[in-house]
Coordinates of all heavy atoms in Angstrom, one line a residue:
V1 N 0.9 -1.2 0.0 CA 0.0 0.0 0.0 C 0.9 1.2 0.0 O 1.9 1.3 0.7 CB -0.9 0.0 1.2 CG1 -1.7 1.3 1.3 CG2 -1.9 -1.2 1.2
S2 N 0.5 2.2 -0.8 CA 1.3 3.4 -0.9 C 0.4 4.6 -0.7 O -0.8 4.6 -1.1 CB 1.9 3.4 -2.3 OG 1.8 4.6 -2.9
T3 N 0.8 5.6 0.1 CA 0.1 6.8 0.3 C 0.9 8.0 -0.1 O 2.0 8.2 0.3 CB -0.3 7.0 1.8 OG1 -1.0 5.8 2.2 CG2 -1.1 8.2 2.1
T4 N 0.3 8.8 -1.0 CA 1.0 10.0 -1.5 C 0.1 11.2 -1.5 O -1.1 11.1 -1.7 CB 1.4 9.7 -3.0 OG1 2.0 8.5 -3.1 CG2 2.3 10.8 -3.5
S5 N 0.7 12.4 -1.2 CA 0.0 13.6 -1.1 C 0.3 14.4 -2.4 O 1.5 14.5 -2.8 CB 0.3 14.4 0.1 OG -0.2 13.7 1.2
Y6 N -0.7 15.1 -2.9 CA -0.5 15.9 -4.1 C -1.1 17.3 -3.8 O -2.1 17.4 -3.1 CB -1.3 15.3 -5.3 CG -0.9 13.9 -5.7 CD1 -1.5 12.8 -5.1 CD2 0.2 13.7 -6.5 CE1 -1.1 11.5 -5.4 CE2 0.6 12.4 -6.8 CZ 0.0 11.3 -6.3 OH 0.4 10.1 -6.6
S7 N -0.5 18.3 -4.4 CA -1.0 19.7 -4.3 C -1.8 19.9 -5.5 O -1.3 19.7 -6.6 CB 0.2 20.7 -4.2 OG 0.9 20.5 -3.0
V8 N -3.0 20.3 -5.3 CA -4.0 20.5 -6.4 C -4.6 21.9 -6.3 O -5.1 22.3 -5.3 CB -5.1 19.4 -6.3 CG1 -6.0 19.5 -7.5 CG2 -4.5 18.0 -6.2
T9 N -4.7 22.5 -7.5 CA -5.3 23.8 -7.5 C -6.7 23.8 -8.2 O -7.0 22.8 -8.9 CB -4.5 24.8 -8.4 OG1 -4.3 24.3 -9.7 CG2 -3.1 25.0 -7.7
G10 N -7.5 24.8 -7.9 CA -8.8 24.9 -8.6 C -10.0 24.5 -7.7 O -11.1 24.7 -8.1
L11 N -9.8 23.9 -6.6 CA -10.9 23.5 -5.7 C -11.4 24.6 -4.9 O -10.6 25.4 -4.4 CB -10.5 22.3 -4.8 CG -10.3 20.9 -5.4 CD1 -9.0 20.8 -6.1 CD2 -10.4 19.9 -4.3
T12 N -12.7 24.8 -4.9 CA -13.3 25.9 -4.2 C -14.4 25.5 -3.2 O -14.8 26.3 -2.4 CB -14.0 26.9 -5.2 OG1 -15.0 26.2 -6.0 CG2 -13.0 27.5 -6.1
C13 N -14.9 24.3 -3.2 CA -16.0 23.9 -2.3 C -16.2 22.4 -2.2 O -15.4 21.7 -2.8 CB -17.3 24.5 -2.8 SG -17.9 23.8 -4.4
G14 N -17.2 22.0 -1.5 CA -17.4 20.6 -1.2 C -17.7 19.8 -2.5 O -17.4 18.6 -2.6
H15 N -18.3 20.5 -3.5 CA -18.6 19.8 -4.7 C -17.3 19.5 -5.5 O -17.2 18.4 -6.1 CB -19.5 20.7 -5.7 CG -20.9 20.8 -5.2 ND1 -21.3 22.0 -4.6 CD2 -21.9 19.9 -5.1 CE1 -22.6 21.8 -4.2 NE2 -22.9 20.6 -4.5
C16 N -16.3 20.4 -5.4 CA -15.0 20.1 -6.0 C -14.4 18.9 -5.3 O -13.8 18.0 -5.9 CB -14.1 21.3 -5.8 SG -14.7 22.8 -6.6
V17 N -14.5 18.8 -4.0 CA -13.9 17.7 -3.2 C -14.6 16.4 -3.7 O -13.9 15.4 -3.9 CB -14.1 18.0 -1.7 CG1 -13.7 16.7 -0.9 CG2 -13.4 19.2 -1.2
T18 N -15.9 16.4 -3.8 CA -16.6 15.2 -4.3 C -16.2 14.8 -5.7 O -15.9 13.6 -5.9 CB -18.1 15.5 -4.3 OG1 -18.5 15.9 -2.9 CG2 -18.9 14.3 -4.7
A19 N -16.0 15.8 -6.5 CA -15.6 15.5 -7.9 C -14.2 14.9 -8.0 O -14.0 13.8 -8.6 CB -15.6 16.8 -8.8
V20 N -13.3 15.5 -7.2 CA -11.9 15.0 -7.2 C -11.8 13.6 -6.6 O -11.2 12.7 -7.1 CB -11.0 15.9 -6.4 CG1 -9.6 15.3 -6.1 CG2 -10.7 17.2 -7.3
T21 N -12.6 13.4 -5.5 CA -12.6 12.1 -4.8 C -13.1 11.1 -5.7 O -12.6 9.9 -5.8 CB -13.4 12.3 -3.5 OG1 -12.9 13.3 -2.7 CG2 -13.4 10.9 -2.7
G22 N -14.2 11.4 -6.4 CA -14.8 10.4 -7.3 C -13.9 10.0 -8.4 O -13.8 8.8 -8.7
Q23 N -13.3 10.9 -9.0 CA -12.4 10.6 -10.2 C -11.2 9.8 -9.7 O -10.8 8.8 -10.4 CB -11.9 11.9 -10.8 CG -12.9 12.6 -11.7 CD -13.3 11.7 -12.9 OE1 -12.5 10.9 -13.4 NE2 -14.5 11.8 -13.4
L24 N -10.6 10.1 -8.6 CA -9.5 9.3 -8.1 C -9.9 8.0 -7.7 O -9.2 7.0 -7.9 CB -8.7 10.1 -7.0 CG -8.0 11.3 -7.5 CD1 -7.5 12.2 -6.3 CD2 -6.8 11.0 -8.4
N25 N -11.0 7.9 -7.0 CA -11.5 6.5 -6.6 C -11.8 5.6 -7.7 O -11.9 4.4 -7.6 CB -12.7 6.7 -5.7 CG -12.4 6.8 -4.2 OD1 -11.5 6.1 -3.7 ND2 -13.1 7.6 -3.5
A26 N -12.1 6.2 -8.9 CA -12.4 5.4 -10.1 C -11.2 4.7 -10.6 O -11.3 3.7 -11.4 CB -13.0 6.4 -11.2
L27 N -10.0 5.1 -10.2 CA -8.8 4.4 -10.6 C -8.7 3.1 -9.8 O -8.9 3.1 -8.6 CB -7.5 5.2 -10.3 CG -7.4 6.6 -11.0 CD1 -6.2 7.4 -10.5 CD2 -7.2 6.4 -12.5
P28 N -8.5 2.0 -10.6 CA -8.6 0.7 -9.9 C -7.6 0.5 -8.7 O -8.0 -0.3 -7.8 CB -8.3 -0.3 -11.1 CG -7.7 0.5 -12.2 CD -8.2 1.9 -12.0
E29 N -6.5 1.1 -8.8 CA -5.5 0.9 -7.7 C -5.9 1.7 -6.4 O -5.3 1.4 -5.3 CB -4.1 1.4 -8.1 CG -3.6 0.8 -9.4 CD -3.9 1.6 -10.6 OE1 -4.9 2.4 -10.6 OE2 -3.3 1.4 -11.7
V30 N -6.8 2.6 -6.5 CA -7.0 3.6 -5.4 C -8.0 3.0 -4.4 O -9.1 2.5 -4.8 CB -7.5 4.9 -5.9 CG1 -8.0 5.8 -4.8 CG2 -6.4 5.6 -6.7
S31 N -7.6 3.0 -3.1 CA -8.5 2.5 -2.1 C -9.0 3.6 -1.1 O -9.9 3.4 -0.3 CB -7.8 1.4 -1.3 OG -6.6 2.0 -0.7
G32 N -8.3 4.8 -1.2 CA -8.8 5.9 -0.3 C -8.3 7.2 -0.8 O -7.2 7.3 -1.4
V33 N -9.2 8.2 -0.6 CA -8.8 9.6 -1.0 C -9.2 10.5 0.1 O -10.4 10.4 0.6 CB -9.6 10.0 -2.3 CG1 -9.2 11.5 -2.7 CG2 -9.2 9.1 -3.5
H34 N -8.3 11.4 0.5 CA -8.7 12.4 1.5 C -8.3 13.8 0.9 O -7.1 14.0 0.4 CB -8.0 12.2 2.8 CG -8.3 13.2 3.8 ND1 -9.5 13.2 4.5 CD2 -7.6 14.3 4.2 CE1 -9.5 14.3 5.3 NE2 -8.4 14.9 5.2
V35 N -9.2 14.7 1.0 CA -8.9 16.1 0.5 C -8.9 17.1 1.6 O -9.9 17.2 2.4 CB -9.9 16.5 -0.6 CG1 -9.6 17.9 -1.1 CG2 -10.0 15.5 -1.7
D36 N -7.8 17.8 1.8 CA -7.8 19.0 2.7 C -8.0 20.2 1.8 O -7.1 20.7 1.2 CB -6.4 19.1 3.4 CG -6.3 18.0 4.5 OD1 -7.3 17.9 5.3 OD2 -5.3 17.4 4.6
L37 N -9.3 20.7 1.9 CA -9.7 21.8 1.0 C -9.1 23.1 1.4 O -9.3 23.5 2.6 CB -11.2 21.8 0.9 CG -11.8 23.0 0.1 CD1 -11.5 22.9 -1.3 CD2 -13.3 23.1 0.4
V38 N -8.4 23.8 0.5 CA -8.1 25.2 0.7 C -8.8 25.9 -0.4 O -8.3 25.9 -1.6 CB -6.5 25.4 0.7 CG1 -6.2 26.9 0.8 CG2 -5.9 24.6 1.8
A39 N -9.9 26.4 -0.1 CA -10.8 27.0 -1.2 C -10.1 28.1 -1.9 O -9.6 29.1 -1.3 CB -12.1 27.5 -0.6
G40 N -9.9 28.0 -3.2 CA -9.3 29.0 -4.1 C -7.8 29.0 -4.0 O -7.1 29.7 -4.7
G41 N -7.2 28.1 -3.2 CA -5.8 28.0 -3.1 C -5.3 26.6 -3.5 O -5.8 26.0 -4.4
V42 N -4.2 26.2 -2.8 CA -3.7 24.9 -3.1 C -4.2 23.9 -2.0 O -3.8 24.0 -0.9 CB -2.1 25.0 -3.1 CG1 -1.5 23.6 -3.3 CG2 -1.6 26.0 -4.1
S43 N -5.0 23.0 -2.5 CA -5.5 21.9 -1.6 C -4.6 20.8 -1.6 O -3.8 20.6 -2.6 CB -6.9 21.5 -2.1 OG -7.8 22.5 -2.1
T44 N -4.6 20.0 -0.6 CA -3.8 18.8 -0.5 C -4.7 17.6 -0.6 O -5.7 17.4 0.1 CB -3.0 18.7 0.9 OG1 -2.2 19.9 1.0 CG2 -2.1 17.5 1.0
V45 N -4.3 16.7 -1.6 CA -5.1 15.5 -1.8 C -4.2 14.3 -1.5 O -3.2 14.2 -2.1 CB -5.6 15.4 -3.3 CG1 -6.3 14.2 -3.6 CG2 -6.4 16.7 -3.7
T46 N -4.7 13.5 -0.6 CA -3.9 12.4 -0.2 C -4.6 11.1 -0.7 O -5.7 10.9 -0.5 CB -3.8 12.3 1.4 OG1 -3.2 13.5 1.8 CG2 -2.9 11.1 1.8
V47 N -3.8 10.3 -1.4 CA -4.3 9.1 -2.1 C -3.6 7.9 -1.6 O -2.4 7.8 -1.6 CB -4.1 9.3 -3.6 CG1 -4.7 8.1 -4.4 CG2 -4.7 10.5 -4.2
T48 N -4.4 6.9 -1.2 CA -3.9 5.6 -0.8 C -4.2 4.6 -1.9 O -5.4 4.6 -2.4 CB -4.6 5.2 0.5 OG1 -4.4 6.1 1.5 CG2 -4.0 3.8 1.0
S49 N -3.2 3.9 -2.3 CA -3.4 3.0 -3.5 C -2.6 1.7 -3.2 O -1.6 1.7 -2.5 CB -2.9 3.6 -4.8 OG -1.6 4.1 -4.7
A50 N -3.1 0.6 -3.8 CA -2.4 -0.7 -3.7 C -1.0 -0.6 -4.3 O -0.1 -1.2 -3.8 CB -3.3 -1.7 -4.4
E51 N -0.9 0.1 -5.4 CA 0.4 0.2 -6.1 C 0.6 1.7 -6.2 O -0.3 2.5 -6.3 CB 0.3 -0.3 -7.6 CG -0.2 -1.8 -7.7 CD 0.9 -2.7 -7.2 OE1 2.1 -2.3 -7.3 OE2 0.6 -3.8 -6.7
P52 N 1.9 2.1 -6.2 CA 2.1 3.6 -6.4 C 1.5 4.0 -7.8 O 1.6 3.3 -8.8 CB 3.7 3.7 -6.5 CG 4.1 2.4 -5.8 CD 3.1 1.4 -6.1
L53 N 0.9 5.2 -7.8 CA 0.3 5.8 -9.0 C 1.4 6.6 -9.7 O 2.3 7.2 -9.1 CB -0.8 6.7 -8.6 CG -2.0 6.0 -7.9 CD1 -2.9 7.1 -7.4 CD2 -2.7 5.1 -8.9
T54 N 1.3 6.6 -11.0 CA 2.1 7.6 -11.8 C 1.5 9.0 -11.7 O 0.3 9.1 -11.5 CB 2.2 7.2 -13.3 OG1 0.9 7.3 -13.8 CG2 2.8 5.8 -13.4
E55 N 2.4 10.0 -11.7 CA 1.9 11.3 -11.6 C 0.9 11.6 -12.8 O 0.0 12.3 -12.7 CB 3.0 12.3 -11.6 CG 2.6 13.7 -11.2 CD 3.7 14.6 -10.7 OE1 4.5 14.2 -9.8 OE2 3.9 15.7 -11.3
Q56 N 1.3 10.9 -13.9 CA 0.4 11.1 -15.1 C -1.0 10.6 -14.9 O -2.0 11.3 -15.3 CB 1.0 10.2 -16.3 CG 2.0 11.0 -17.2 CD 2.5 10.0 -18.2 OE1 2.7 8.8 -18.0 NE2 2.7 10.5 -19.4
A57 N -1.1 9.5 -14.2 CA -2.5 8.9 -14.0 C -3.2 9.8 -13.0 O -4.4 10.1 -13.2 CB -2.3 7.5 -13.3
V58 N -2.6 10.4 -12.1 CA -3.2 11.3 -11.1 C -3.6 12.6 -11.8 O -4.7 13.1 -11.7 CB -2.3 11.6 -9.9 CG1 -2.9 12.7 -9.0 CG2 -2.1 10.3 -9.1
A59 N -2.7 13.1 -12.6 CA -3.0 14.4 -13.3 C -4.1 14.2 -14.3 O -5.0 15.1 -14.4 CB -1.7 14.8 -14.1
A60 N -4.2 13.0 -15.0 CA -5.3 12.7 -15.9 C -6.6 12.7 -15.2 O -7.6 13.2 -15.7 CB -5.0 11.4 -16.7
A61 N -6.7 12.0 -14.0 CA -7.9 11.9 -13.3 C -8.3 13.3 -12.8 O -9.5 13.6 -12.9 CB -7.7 11.0 -12.1
L62 N -7.4 14.1 -12.3 CA -7.7 15.4 -11.9 C -8.2 16.3 -13.0 O -9.2 17.0 -12.9 CB -6.5 16.1 -11.3 CG -6.0 15.5 -9.9 CD1 -4.7 16.1 -9.5 CD2 -7.1 15.8 -8.8
D63 N -7.6 16.1 -14.2 CA -8.0 16.9 -15.4 C -9.4 16.5 -15.8 O -10.2 17.4 -16.2 CB -7.0 16.6 -16.5 CG -7.2 17.5 -17.7 OD1 -7.1 18.7 -17.5 OD2 -7.6 17.0 -18.8
E64 N -9.8 15.2 -15.7 CA -11.2 14.8 -15.9 C -12.2 15.6 -15.1 O -13.2 15.9 -15.5 CB -11.3 13.3 -15.6 CG -10.8 12.3 -16.6 CD -11.6 12.4 -17.9 OE1 -12.9 12.3 -17.8 OE2 -11.0 12.5 -19.0
A65 N -11.8 15.8 -13.8 CA -12.7 16.5 -12.9 C -12.6 18.0 -13.1 O -13.4 18.8 -12.6 CB -12.3 16.1 -11.5
G66 N -11.5 18.5 -13.8 CA -11.4 19.9 -14.1 C -10.4 20.6 -13.2 O -10.4 21.9 -13.1
Y67 N -9.5 19.9 -12.6 CA -8.5 20.5 -11.7 C -7.1 20.1 -12.1 O -6.9 19.2 -12.9 CB -8.8 20.0 -10.2 CG -10.2 20.2 -9.9 CD1 -11.1 19.2 -9.9 CD2 -10.7 21.5 -9.6 CE1 -12.5 19.4 -9.6 CE2 -12.0 21.7 -9.4 CZ -12.9 20.7 -9.4 OH -14.2 20.9 -9.1
Q68 N -6.1 20.7 -11.5 CA -4.7 20.5 -11.9 C -3.8 20.4 -10.8 O -4.0 21.0 -9.7 CB -4.2 21.7 -12.8 CG -5.0 21.8 -14.1 CD -4.4 22.9 -15.0 OE1 -4.1 24.0 -14.5 NE2 -4.3 22.6 -16.3
L69 N -2.7 19.6 -11.0 CA -1.7 19.5 -10.0 C -1.0 20.9 -9.9 O -0.8 21.5 -10.9 CB -0.6 18.5 -10.4 CG -1.0 17.0 -10.3 CD1 0.1 16.1 -10.9 CD2 -1.2 16.6 -8.8
A70 N -0.6 21.3 -8.7 CA 0.0 22.6 -8.5 C 1.4 22.5 -9.0 O 2.1 21.5 -8.9 CB -0.1 23.0 -7.1
Ligands
CU101 CU1 -16.5 23.5 -5.9

């Protein structure tokens, strides 16, 4: 199991948290997602996964939801 934190921009509210959480949880390796929301700033997204994720996979999932790695 691997846990990694990412800095993510563009989140402003609970809906953003739900969108990011949903997209990341859709990745088959992911077993848990925790978002520390900093509305309008740099939020911290902590992802627990069975295998380490590539930054590309994380960036792609965030992009699907409309957010970006800081
Ligand atoms: Cu929002």
Side-chain angles (χ1 to χ4, degrees):
V1 175
S2 133
T3 301
T4 310
S5 291
Y6 301 91
S7 296
V8 183
T9 58
L11 285 78
T12 57
C13 70
H15 290 108
C16 300
V17 172
T18 301
V20 164
T21 301
Q23 282 296 331
L24 289 169
N25 269 322
L27 298 173
E29 303 91 341
V30 172
S31 58
V33 178
H34 179 79
V35 179
D36 285 313
L37 175 66
V38 178
V42 180
S43 297
T44 301
V45 178
T46 303
V47 181
T48 303
S49 55
E51 305 287 333
L53 298 169
T54 64
E55 193 162 305
Q56 269 179 323
V58 172
L62 290 170
D63 189 63
E64 280 293 311
Y67 309 100
Q68 295 186 319
L69 287 174

